[in-house]
Amino acid sequence: MIAVIVIQVLSSREGTPGPWKHGRKRISGRRSIRSPSPERNKDPAGRDVVDKLDMLIEQNNTDQNSHSQNLKHLMSESNVLKSFKGVVFLSLNLTQCNVTYDRKALLIDGQRRILFSGSIHYPRSTPEMWESLILKAKDGGLDAIDTYVFWNLHEPSPGNYNFEGRYDLVQFIKLVKKDGLYVHLRIGPYICGEWNFGGFPVWLKYVPGISFRTDNEPFKQAMQKFTQKIVQVMKDESLFQSQGGPIILSQIENEYEPESKLFGPAGEAYVKWAAKMAVGLNTGVPWVMCKEYDAPDPVINTCNGYYCDNFAPNKPYKPTLWTEAWTGWFSDFGGPNYQRPVEDLAFAVARFIQKGGSFVNYYMYHGGTNFGRTAGGPFVTTSYDYDAPIDEYGLVRQPKYGHLQELHKAIKLCEKALLSSDPNVIALGSYEQAHVFSSKSGGCAAFLSNYNLRSNARVTFNNMHYDLPRWSISILPDCQNVVFNTANVGIEASRMQMVPMDVKLESWETFNEDVHSVDDKSPVTVRGLLEQLNMTRDTSDYLWYTTRPLALSLQSAGHGIHVFINGQLSGSAFGTRQKRRFSFTVNINLHPGENTISILSTAVGLQNIGTHFETWNIGVLGPVVLQGLDEGKRDLTWQKWSYKVCLKGEANNLGSPSSTRSTDWIRGSLTALKQRPLTWYKAFFDAPEGDDPLALDMSSMGKGQIWINGQSIGRYWTTPANGNCSECSYIGAFRQTKCHFGCGGPTQQWYHVPRSWLKSTENLLVVFEETGGDASEISLVKRLVTNNRL
């Protein structure tokens, strides 16, 4: 008998599409930018007080006692000081707290500073890589390292904490201190970050009565407990700057403004509670909220995006901070890879600084790898390279690294003038401007800009002529000599090669998942369809749905499905990040009598962003309908279904060296197994000599997961990249719609193998393949990058 099976896969939000539209991952970064607060310049008397305070800050090193007396005098000048009490309070505490702020900048030990920071996430690399990454960041002109804190890694079950190995946050911060840099610790604990479940542990979803990120007592209690835990761990190790440590900033919440608007009064109450809770932890350093315009005092609201030159803080006594300057973009399976030209990134940073910005954090400076099943999205790739100045493997990417390094040097030459005055903006033409900073001590710095998209310009400034390329800014630390232009790159681009190694993968053996035995001893059999995450609790990407009708058609909300009829694969279907609802139709062969239909629903990372994303569903949600029968259609949604979490190979822990001997592996030719689905492969190899970064070329395979010596490399998927891989120009505002590359080939072909995970001999490689591939063509390659100055 022949019937038709129709499978429709829904998006994850309660059976409706779940667009990725909130938080940092909005298509247009500038949509998060707010106009300057109307309070900022409305009171001339208040402006005079702030100017006097600026003068006193500049004189702070001379005489602390005299400084305090002057401040007391200022406090009695007029009632207008009430609107600037934040400035006065902060200035009075310069001798009591190592880090504070005023309207111009963060102050460290009383000194205003322009600071460059870079995001390096400790679990996205290995402890053996950390110091090299930190030192390269320092050599690149950074002053600080920024990292999220990953709740789901540190508290995998309630009250049980893990700070070992890649999760050793304390060791990471101590290395940053050792190498002479500061830290911005973004506790969150919601982080987004294309990280599984936005950084929340999945058990949090099942706390009775909980609702994420709103004025909800169960959520606030859990959030406060974890935040207190992290702060106490930092205090116990004396890691805050107020204790002599490197942490100069902390962040509570993350990109909450879009959610706050949707939650209304409950969102507003939650923001106030979160700010009060964080400040009450008495860390001795300022707190920030990124993309949260209504961040309550004394918390600083900050900007995230591709451009932040139009951003202004919500109070006139807060500094202008850019906590995420996006260096590129993340990739998702089936999508293209992205490159952000460094000319445009440098242009964006210079624009921000000339408008009064004093803190820039590059997101990412090193993106790294989503090892294991940590990638979120869903559909985010295992690589989190992000086109960062340091690539996924820890190698410098030129010219991005070197051009930004030169930018930092040029801006630091202007630091005194930038921090002691406001810019005088002079029109030099229709698209050309000069931002001139003059310090009271006589210093002068100028930024000459050309916003024209079509033509270069020659301008006259201070009776001298300057040539400005289109879409660029020139920096003059003495208002005369150009030391840097954002569009003039003097560093040759990196030449990257993935070179095959003379390493043999030997002693191949296989293990096949037995679809016929899927429903044997199934722990759960119920009428109706169950949501996948409620069954797996994210212990596995896989959930089996099995029933015994005469024929079948179904609708699902899994990220992918494999349909088996009487043990034989009938077809597979997958969603994408852009289109999570899809239909699947296939002809199936049924024999007379009872037929067994098994559907393997697969997840490719959990949702990490969106309002109430804890309620968004995955899995086969129905309806499940048979078509082509004599009686027409038959709805099987409420038939009895058996459920089985994870694969047999996962239950037997096949990725671990300690468990492989107890499994019935089969040795034989791989040729006959090229297209066999649900197959485990294992082989052994010796580590190659040298210290070049290594990767596995998985282009001969389909979709699955990889382990090396029991460590999970992550998910692989060789689905082709779709995009617009045309010419990439730095001119004009960068968006995710431009500068694609890699179209036609796999979105990700190579998968990082940390050398620290290898032994000298007999390294165990285990691969689980879902759809079928040629394991004999898997190869180990090394990454070589050469960089030459022009």
Side-chain angles (χ1 to χ4, degrees), residues 307-471:
Y307 307 92
C308 281
D309 49 297
N310 286 334
F311 169 81
N314 60 16
K315 295 292 174 61
Y317 44 80
K318 293 180 181 180
T320 304
L321 311 182
W322 190 358
T323 39
E324 289 188 16
W326 301 336
T327 58
W329 201 245
F330 63 91
S331 299
D332 55 272
F333 288 116
N337 293 294
Y338 301 88
Q339 292 176 318
R340 185 180 187 187
V342 69
E343 299 95 328
D344 177 66
L345 178 58
F347 182 56
V349 172
R351 286 167 64 174
F352 179 72
I353 296 295
Q354 75 177 7
K355 289 289 190 73
S358 58
F359 178 95
V360 177
N361 176 68
Y362 296 104
Y363 189 101
M364 301 289 297
Y365 200 76
H366 164 74
T369 306
N370 292 317
F371 294 113
R373 297 169 48 253
T374 58
F379 300 105
V380 170
T381 57
T382 297
S383 171
Y384 199 67
D385 183 85
Y386 222 89
D387 195 38
I390 303 175
D391 73 12
E392 176 183 4
Y393 299 84
L395 302 176
V396 166
R397 171 177 278 118
Q398 297 288 21
K400 185 165 283 188
Y401 176 91
H403 196 53
L404 293 178
Q405 182 184 50
E406 297 301 319
L407 170 68
H408 303 152
K409 291 178 182 177
I411 291 175
K412 287 301 181 95
L413 291 174
C414 309
E415 186 172 25
K416 185 174 182 181
L418 289 171
L419 295 178
S420 60
S421 63
D422 293 323
N424 178 28
V425 182
I426 303 171
L428 303 178
S430 299
Y431 297 94
E432 299 80 32
Q433 289 181 333
H435 286 70
V436 184
F437 298 82
S438 302
S439 67
K440 295 179 176 64
S441 59
C444 182
F447 288 61
L448 308 184
S449 58
N450 177 11
Y451 291 91
N452 198 315
L453 301 178
R454 297 187 176 184
S455 61
N456 302 334
R458 167 162 281 200
V459 299
T460 301
F461 172 70
N462 280 353
N463 297 317
M464 298 178 66
H465 297 297
Y466 296 91
D467 292 319
L468 296 176
R470 53 184 175 159
W471 199 252

Side-chain angles (χ1 to χ4, degrees), residues 572-611:
S572 302
F574 302 96
T576 67
R577 188 171 69 86
Q578 290 76 20
K579 188 178 180 182
R580 302 182 199 184
R581 169 177 288 198
F582 62 91
S583 297
F584 177 63
T585 302
V586 65
N587 291 327
I588 59 174
N589 291 314
L590 302 174
H591 55 66
E594 187 176 76
N595 293 270
T596 299
I597 296 175
S598 299
I599 304 162
L600 181 60
S601 180
T602 71
V604 191
L606 299 182
Q607 189 73 24
N608 61 261
I609 196 169
T611 305

Side-chain angles (χ1 to χ4, degrees), residues 29 61 67 69 96 114 147 185 257 274 279 283 339 409 429 467 485 664-665 713 718 751 774 778:
N61 286 336
H67 175 58
Q69 292 299 318
Q96 301 170 16
I114 286 181
T147 184
L185 190 66
E257 186 173 328
V279 173
T283 61
Q339 292 176 318
K409 291 178 182 177
D467 292 319
N485 177 271
D664 295 328
W665 291 91
I713 295 292
T718 56
Y751 293 80
D774 187 355
I778 297 173

Side-chain angles (χ1 to χ4, degrees), residues 22-87:
H22 300 303
R24 167 162 48 81
K25 306 311 175 204
R26 298 171 76 173
I27 295 298
S28 174
R30 298 194 72 174
R31 295 276 68 82
S32 66
I33 299 170
R34 300 291 295 265
S35 299
S37 168
E39 299 178 30
R40 196 170 176 86
N41 298 307
K42 70 180 183 181
D43 195 328
R47 175 77 273 145
D48 291 342
V49 174
V50 172
D51 288 340
K52 292 179 181 180
L53 286 170
D54 288 344
M55 179 183 66
L56 289 173
I57 296 293
E58 202 173 56
Q59 299 170 352
N60 180 63
N61 286 336
T62 57
D63 186 345
Q64 289 289 345
N65 292 329
S66 173
H67 175 58
S68 297
Q69 292 299 318
N70 286 333
L71 282 171
K72 290 178 182 178
H73 173 72
L74 269 178
M75 289 176 68
S76 63
E77 279 200 7
S78 74
N79 289 333
V80 74
L81 272 173
K82 292 179 181 179
S83 65
F84 293 92
K85 61 183 178 182
V87 176

Side-chain angles (χ1 to χ4, degrees), residues 729-742:
S729 171
Y730 80 87
I731 297 167
F734 181 80
R735 295 291 181 263
Q736 295 97 299
T737 54
K738 62 186 291 188
C739 295
H740 297 176
F741 71 98

